[in-house]
Amino acid sequence: MRKDAVQNRERLLRAARQLFADRGLDVPLEEIARTAGVSIGTLYNRFSTREALVEAVFADRVATVAELAEQALAMDDAWEGFVAFLTGVCELQAADLGYNDLAARTAAVDGDRGHGLMREILERAQRSGGLRGDVTLADLAFVIWGVAATVRATGKVAPGAWRRHLALALDGLRAVAARPLPAPPMSTAQTRAAMREC
């Protein structure tokens, strides 16, 4: 790309990163372009869709989640690794409303390396006896969705409230707390359909 094109792309990424972090993923693209000091046409020349812009803005967060997963898998205690991973993801959510929205929209759907690592963390914690055996990746979506809603509702008045929410959820995921569940887990198709509503 030409130097001015590279600069425009960086300005757009900076503007989108800040606006998404402050307000979430539904910021109008026109506002992102205006904040970056470029036309909406320039935005579309650099990023043909909102999804392409979101992917570029959050590439570093996706990489961080993969690092968190690898660190969790390297921990001696599988339950503690599971807790550390979920806590790390939720810390990213709490720090950035855009990532909070993204996590809620993509939680626990199979497909990429990150989800493969998440499945490995879950299954390892189950084999260790720390995590209840009937938990699925789709069930973890409930945790992510719940924390996402808590972050949105309490972020300005009680920024750490999500930690209490997560601790309560984690206690319910422990094998020692397990009781029969009243409904089957959601299928992958149901999880995807639910996420489209987020």
Side-chain angles (χ1 to χ4, degrees), residues 45-102:
N45 283 338
R46 302 283 87 73
F47 305 100
S48 59
T49 63
R50 177 181 291 273
E51 291 74 26
L53 177 60
V54 167
E55 185 177 333
V57 167
F58 292 105
D60 61 333
R61 295 279 198 255
V62 171
T64 298
V65 170
E67 288 171 20
L68 289 171
E70 289 169 359
Q71 291 167 10
L73 289 168
M75 293 176 74
D76 291 334
D77 185 303
W79 170 256
E80 291 303 320
F82 177 80
V83 170
F85 175 72
L86 275 180
T87 302
V89 169
C90 292
E91 285 172 344
L92 291 173
Q93 288 179 249
D96 183 328
L97 285 180
Y99 182 74
N100 188 51
D101 290 350
L102 182 65

Side-chain angles (χ1 to χ4, degrees), residues 136-148:
T136 67
L137 275 180
D139 292 321
L140 294 187
F142 289 121
V143 176
I144 300 299
W145 294 337
V147 170

Side-chain angles (χ1 to χ4, degrees), residues 103-116:
R105 294 174 186 180
T106 60
V109 171
D110 292 326
D112 65 15
R113 179 172 169 262
H115 291 104

